[in-house]
Amino acid sequence: MSPASAPSALAPGRPWPLGATWDGRGVNFAVASAHAKSLELCLFDADGKFETSRSALPARSHDVWHGYLEGAAPGLVYGYRAHGPWRPDRGNLFNAHKLLLDPYAREIVGRFEWRDEHFGAAPHHVHHPDARDNAAFALKARVVGGTYDWGTDVHLHTPLADSVLYELHVKGFTQLHPDVPEALRGTYAGLASDAAIAHLRRLGITAVSLLPVQQHLDEQRLSRIGLSNYWGYNTIGFFCAEPRLASGVAGLSPRDEFRAMVKRLHQAGIEVILDVVYNHTAESDELGPTLSFRGLDNALYYRLQPQHRSHYENHTGCGNTLDLRQPRVLQLVMDSLRYWAGEMHVDGFRFDLAPVLGRGDHGFEKKAQFFAAVAQDPLLSRLKMIAEPWDIGPGGYQLGAFPQGWLEWNDRFRDTMRSFWVEQGSNRGEFAQRLCASSATFQAQGRTPAESVNYVVSHDGFTLRDLVSYSQKHNLANGENNRDGHDQNHNHNCGVEGPSADPQVNALRGRLQRALLATQLLAQGTPMLAAGDELGHTQSGNNNPYCQDNRLTWIAWDKSDADLLAFTARVLALRRQALPLGNHWYDGLSDSQGRHDLEWLGADAKPLDADAWRAAGAQPLACLIGKPGRAPAPLLWLINGSAGDVEFTLPAGTWQALLDTAHPRGLAQQQGRGENRLAVGARCMLMLASAGSGVTL
């Protein structure tokens, strides 16, 4: 039957599953609201422009309102109106003049534009509801149905010891790629193209970590100045693939184009991990629009200040915070995760501002309901779970405090390695601790080394090239007078701000980039490479380009640094073959033959004493790995973060150089001065293997 002719009479239906579910005969509607007095189902024409009927949901089971529409089918467009008290002082913001989007919508109809009609409070009278109806402009949901032919596709479950993460933006990665068909550039289909996959496979990437692909809105401030939320950390549809990232080629819906992308990446042996935002929604602060959650039950979905329930607890910096203490909100998050894992076949999730997910009444709780729910889930518990382990709320920094099995972005690794190589600031003790997966942080909590996600650059901040090309951030294009973005970046321009023709400046920048990449990709833990860093990608010094959907952020493939790409591929090949530091903790103790599993030495090949560990600056050190992850024979790391060449005395044995970051492509160079002495260039590192290592680079 057509949506326009749908009858208004509703049967009671069922309170589960939440959302709109087609069973072949009709559609069951179920939506959660604890404080509403009644809810109405509103049906629209196929384009969502005209309301054709309005009926009260006839049944309520605890906090779920539900009804069943006989004869309804996929394609039906609908929304809700919630009736209840307008009492901001009690956290209740019901306004039946506002059409509300189903939180469980699988497809969203309409393109959002900022209008006064979307706001629940009357202009200049926040204690009174606004009487203007927004239905003509509101986002609506469309009932979906059907199945997808996955064939033999399954989750890949790549072991952590073999995992290399690659963080990318679906659009920015291929928008300018000359070998991707023009119609597919910047889309899910573009990421699934032969050219895109060939690049990932050349590097040896095992998992792409996609910046948010759940449907989001652009903030009002950005819309006013002609910008958009390029990164996508402003979700409105937790079950919807962002349509702006779909090509529409072959007539596929955004959902099915996403699925086809996942299937194609899996065929290439590459996992798909989603960056997800379950800490806040696009409805912003208490002055924001009424689009969905706020109108359905503000006091249920959001954390409100106990003494001022008209205001939100803002642990996210985005205006509101979802309240996962509430069972229905926890269910929303879990159902969304299961949808993306089960129906979309993604292999894991990276959780933005993850401490929010574990916040109870008195702060972060390692045993919070959310973590317990994930741990017992038969599907989710087998996937990769990655936390950004901080938010801006009280006690928001929680690195190392997440449950066993969770991976965590390790910003201490980032800051120490930047400081050591770029600023010559971190000492040997700090450097060694980060090189070995921040053992004081993770080992003490019963965690494994691979649970430290080691990165030097992510989407948030300078690119690798810009990190060594700019001493100041250049964010004026964002419209905030350069106030936004991090101020403490451990960055330096190497003598010239921005692009330079000086060969000495560029040589130093190249050495620093290679040293940072090699340290990151070979360190103990799980490495994460930011897309484009292997190509010399620049954002012209903008360290917060969240709103720049243009050539500033899109990877310029025609300007790729071929040497840097070859270097990165070589380093990752070395990781695959040797895995210098395995996924087990080293204790520095010796075996029955007096061989240590890990030794730290000075340039003179003598063990470091306490004073040497604490000596200021990037002092030279050597790391002798007696029990590497894969190589059967010892490996030796020679690390020189100082401004001049350093001559190292080698431990006894025959050594073969595998990697030299002084060379643009990492090729080993002959620098020997006698059989047991080797010079290491300034701001460079070498990796060597003893005879019988089996490494064949």
Side-chain angles (χ1 to χ4, degrees):
M1 63 183 299
S2 66
S5 60
S8 58
L10 294 173
R14 304 175 306 191
W16 49 269
L18 291 172
T21 307
W22 180 58
D23 62 6
R25 297 182 298 103
V27 176
N28 190 81
F29 297 89
V31 60
S33 179
H35 301 100
K37 300 303 182 184
S38 64
L39 263 83
E40 291 179 310
L41 172 68
C42 304
L43 304 183
F44 288 80
D45 69 293
D47 296 324
K49 297 185 181 299
F50 304 104
E51 188 172 353
T52 60
S53 70
R54 189 183 303 185
S55 305
L57 290 175
R60 178 178 183 177
S61 300
H62 303 293
D63 295 337
V64 177
W65 300 79
H66 49 96
Y68 183 83
L69 185 56
E70 183 79 29
L76 184 67
V77 178
Y78 70 98
Y80 293 112
R81 296 181 188 271
H83 296 261
W86 179 270
R87 288 295 303 268
D89 59 318
R90 298 182 181 178
N92 293 322
L93 299 175
F94 294 101
N95 185 342
H97 297 290
K98 309 303 172 184
L99 188 81
L100 306 173
L101 178 68
D102 184 354
Y104 279 72
R106 299 300 201 267
E107 183 179 328
I108 295 176
V109 177
R111 187 175 180 87
F112 183 78
E113 60 177 272
W114 286 94
R115 302 180 61 95
D116 292 342
E117 291 91 336
H118 291 310
F119 292 86
H124 313 299
H125 297 285
V126 295
H127 298 295
H128 300 278
D130 180 67
R132 291 170 292 185
D133 195 292
N134 74 331
F137 319 107
L139 297 174
K140 292 99 178 171
R142 176 177 281 123
V143 177
V144 301
T147 59
Y148 183 78
D149 182 9
W150 284 103
T152 60
D153 186 77
V154 294
H155 294 109
L156 296 183
H157 301 298
T158 304
L160 287 180
D162 298 324
S163 294
V164 178
L165 310 180
Y166 188 82
E167 188 191 35
L168 65 83
H169 189 285
V170 169
K171 182 175 184 179
F173 186 61
T174 64
Q175 182 68 24
L176 300 178
H177 201 306
D179 297 328
V180 173
E182 187 172 358
L184 306 183
R185 293 175 190 169
T187 69
Y188 305 125
L191 180 54
S193 67
D194 291 344
I197 289 176
H199 180 77
L200 298 172
R201 296 192 67 176
R202 176 184 178 182
L203 289 173
I205 300 302
T206 69
V208 288
S209 181
L210 308 183
L211 267 67
V213 297
Q214 293 177 349
Q215 192 159 347
H216 71 278
L217 300 183
D218 301 324
E219 292 88 340
Q220 188 174 27
R221 183 192 73 84
L222 295 178
S223 295
R224 284 174 175 168
I225 61 176
L227 297 175
S228 64
N229 189 321
Y230 172 66
W231 285 352
Y233 289 94
N234 202 38
T235 312
I236 192 62
F238 290 104
F239 296 80
C240 299
E242 174 55 62
R244 285 179 280 187
L245 298 176
S247 69
V249 172
L252 295 178
S253 66
R255 181 171 63 152
D256 283 348
E257 185 172 322
F258 181 92
R259 287 165 159 166
M261 175 198 74
V262 172
K263 188 175 180 179
R264 179 74 176 86
L265 287 166
H266 281 178
Q267 291 169 351
I270 299 170
E271 293 180 309
V272 178
I273 295 172
L274 300 190
D275 195 334
V276 288
V277 187
Y278 296 113
N279 54 73
H280 76 282
T281 79
E283 288 185 310
S284 188
D285 61 17
E286 52 271 6
L287 300 179
T290 297
L291 307 175
S292 177
F293 311 92
R294 174 179 282 126
L296 286 169
D297 196 336
N298 185 64
L300 171 68
Y301 286 101
Y302 296 119
R303 292 182 69 116
L304 307 179
Q305 295 182 18
Q307 304 303 321
H308 304 281
R309 293 184 62 78
S310 61
H311 290 74
Y312 295 120
E313 289 185 345
N314 185 14
H315 300 321
T316 66
C318 300
N320 64 63
T321 305
L322 279 171
D323 193 354
L324 270 76
R325 298 170 299 182
Q326 303 293 337
R328 291 302 178 189
V329 182
L330 175 61
Q331 180 184 0
L332 169 73
V333 174
M334 294 300 296
D335 286 349
S336 175
L337 291 173
R338 278 189 287 262
Y339 170 77
W340 288 95
E343 297 191 36
M344 308 295 270
H345 280 209
V346 304
D347 304 283
F349 302 91
R350 180 266 187 188
F351 295 87
D352 180 63
L353 304 182
V356 166
L357 307 176
R359 281 191 174 273
D361 293 333
H362 306 290
F364 179 80
E365 299 172 2
K366 186 175 183 178
K367 296 183 179 180
Q369 294 175 337
F370 171 72
F371 301 126
V374 169
Q376 63 77 45
D377 189 278
L379 173 59
L380 300 177
S381 61
R382 295 183 284 116
L383 304 183
K384 289 181 173 67
M385 299 288 163
I386 306 173
E388 181 184 41
W390 51 80
D391 63 29
I392 68 167
Y397 188 77
Q398 293 293 333
L399 180 68
F402 282 75
Q404 292 182 357
W406 278 67
L407 285 73
E408 300 181 36
W409 275 27
N410 189 344
D411 64 320
R412 290 178 183 168
F413 181 95
R414 176 198 67 192
D415 293 347
T416 296
M417 294 308 173
R418 288 183 178 189
S419 174
F420 183 88
W421 289 113
V422 179
E423 299 177 310
Q424 299 177 287
S426 296
N427 62 36
R428 283 182 280 209
E430 294 168 334
F431 182 90
Q433 175 66 210
R434 304 306 160 221
L435 197 69
C436 291
S438 299
S439 57
T441 299
F442 287 92
Q443 186 179 14
Q445 299 297 324
R447 313 285 294 284
T448 64
E451 291 170 37
S452 170
V453 174
N454 298 331
Y455 70 105
V456 171
V457 165
S458 69
H459 70 277
D460 188 4
F462 286 114
T463 68
L464 181 64
R465 177 177 169 183
D466 289 356
L467 185 72
V468 297
S469 301
Y470 293 90
S471 291
Q472 306 295 326
K473 62 185 182 182
H474 296 265
N475 298 356
L476 286 174
N478 297 349
E480 298 183 53
N481 294 317
N482 214 38
R483 293 189 302 268
D484 62 307
H486 298 293
D487 293 315
Q488 304 299 322
N489 299 281
H490 304 289
N491 57 310
H492 188 258
N493 63 20
C494 297
V496 175
E497 188 74 358
S500 173
D502 187 326
Q504 291 186 325
V505 169
N506 289 328
L508 176 57
R509 289 174 176 176
R511 289 199 302 274
L512 290 174
Q513 289 178 80
R514 293 190 294 274
L516 286 163
L517 281 170
T519 309
Q520 168 193 354
L521 298 177
L522 297 176
Q524 192 174 27
T526 300
M528 184 187 76
L529 182 66
D533 279 350
E534 76 281 13
L535 303 170
H537 175 55
T538 178
Q539 292 171 169
S540 300
N542 190 321
N543 77 343
N544 188 38
Y546 74 102
C547 55
Q548 299 297 326
D549 184 4
N550 50 53
R551 288 179 177 269
L552 185 72
T553 52
W554 304 339
I555 294 175
W557 292 88
D558 61 337
K559 298 178 181 178
S560 298
D561 184 333
D563 284 341
L564 191 59
L565 173 57
F567 173 85
T568 308
R570 182 179 181 85
V571 174
L572 284 170
L574 176 57
R575 179 183 178 87
R576 287 193 299 276
Q577 285 197 45
L579 191 65
L581 289 162
N583 192 26
H584 59 273
W585 296 112
Y586 293 81
D587 54 25
L589 300 179
S590 58
D591 59 18
S592 59
Q593 298 179 350
R595 294 173 300 192
H596 295 268
D597 63 353
L598 189 67
E599 288 186 87
W600 298 98
L601 310 170
D604 57 3
K606 296 179 181 179
L608 299 173
D609 59 23
D611 290 339
W613 278 117
R614 293 191 295 264
Q619 302 292 328
L621 75 160
C623 178
L624 178 59
I625 310 168
K627 295 180 180 179
R630 293 199 180 98
L635 299 175
L636 178 64
W637 231 328
L638 304 180
I639 299 158
N640 177 20
S642 65
D645 294 356
V646 170
E647 188 172 84
F648 282 79
T649 299
L650 304 182
T654 302
W655 297 96
Q656 173 193 3
L658 301 174
L659 180 74
D660 185 350
T661 65
H663 189 279
R665 293 186 172 228
L667 302 180
Q669 303 178 89
Q670 298 300 319
Q671 295 176 292
R673 298 182 183 176
E675 291 184 358
N676 68 334
R677 303 180 73 81
L678 197 62
V680 179
R683 318 293 261 285
C684 293
M685 57 163 282
L686 270 72
M687 178 158 281
L688 303 94
S690 68
S693 70
V695 182
T696 58
L697 284 178

